[in-house]
Amino acid sequence: MQSNAPDFRTLLRETEKSAVHLEMRDQYSIADEVEQFAAWKAGHRYAMENRSEWWHPFHDFVVETIARGVTIRRARIVSEPVTEYIRYEHSHTFTNIAAGEQIRWLPRIRALDLALPGADFWLFDSRIVRFNLFTGDGAWAHPRHVMTEEPATVGLCAKAFEAVWERAVPHADFEV
């Protein structure tokens, strides 16, 4: 595995068919979300009709990628009752969906018999895995990412994602 993984945009730009993302943490403490999370805890919510407030360049990039024929799916495994962070994340998931991502949620109790990798990951075209690495409290670890094209690891991640996706609940039907 290499720790000098290409950046996410480069990998997604080179993707031809599919990108899948599996998130398995109940809390992330990423520095660029601190203000947003604090505002959410204080009662601020994004409104679908106020797109200028929540639409970001990432959403444009997703739209462009999907327009090229790439499918983007994201699955989140969560403990129940969900954490405050997961409620926050759930409340603005409509922004990812508006850009074209497909998103599902799987209660952790329904994932007990699944073989899952040890970290969140993106899988590009079922050939490259980019693991996202976090500290115990949810901050970015160093390195932040490691990447591999090793067939057994790619296969594990592909199988894990599909097993989660099959059991997971579509966002519109998942209540927090």
Side-chain angles (χ1 to χ4, degrees), residues 22-160:
L22 183 59
E23 298 176 10
M24 299 181 283
R25 296 183 57 91
D26 288 319
Q27 175 73 40
Y28 295 88
S29 299
I30 301 169
D32 61 356
E33 287 186 343
V34 169
E35 288 181 30
Q36 254 186 313
F37 189 34
W40 180 87
K41 288 194 287 187
H44 179 268
R45 300 295 184 269
Y46 289 135
M48 176 66 104
E49 53 280 350
N50 193 3
R51 181 177 156 145
S52 64
E53 182 184 21
W54 53 264
W55 192 266
H56 296 286
F58 173 77
H59 297 109
D60 289 325
F61 188 56
V62 168
V63 168
E64 293 166 14
T65 301
I66 290 169
R68 291 190 294 106
V70 176
T71 300
I72 301 176
R73 296 182 294 158
R74 182 186 306 248
R76 294 175 171 142
I77 299 174
V78 296
S79 299
E80 291 182 309
V82 299
T83 62
E84 185 175 43
Y85 180 86
I86 293 299
R87 287 196 317 272
Y88 153 74
E89 194 172 51
H90 187 272
S91 77
H92 69 263
T93 294
F94 75 87
T95 67
N96 299 79
I97 293 168
E101 283 190 53
Q102 300 171 40
I103 300 179
R104 293 185 182 181
W105 303 79
L106 182 64
R108 194 169 309 281
I109 192 76
R110 296 187 55 210
L112 296 178
D113 60 340
L114 299 179
L116 301 169
D120 293 4
F121 65 86
W122 278 93
L123 174 60
F124 303 93
D125 283 335
S126 296
R127 64 180 184 82
I128 298 171
V129 176
R130 184 175 188 246
F131 290 103
N132 295 337
L133 304 177
F134 299 94
T135 62
D137 65 0
W140 284 113
H142 182 74
R144 287 183 177 197
H145 312 284
V146 293
M147 187 179 89
T148 186
E149 296 179 61
E150 197 278 315
T153 305
V154 168
L156 168 69
C157 291
K159 186 175 179 179

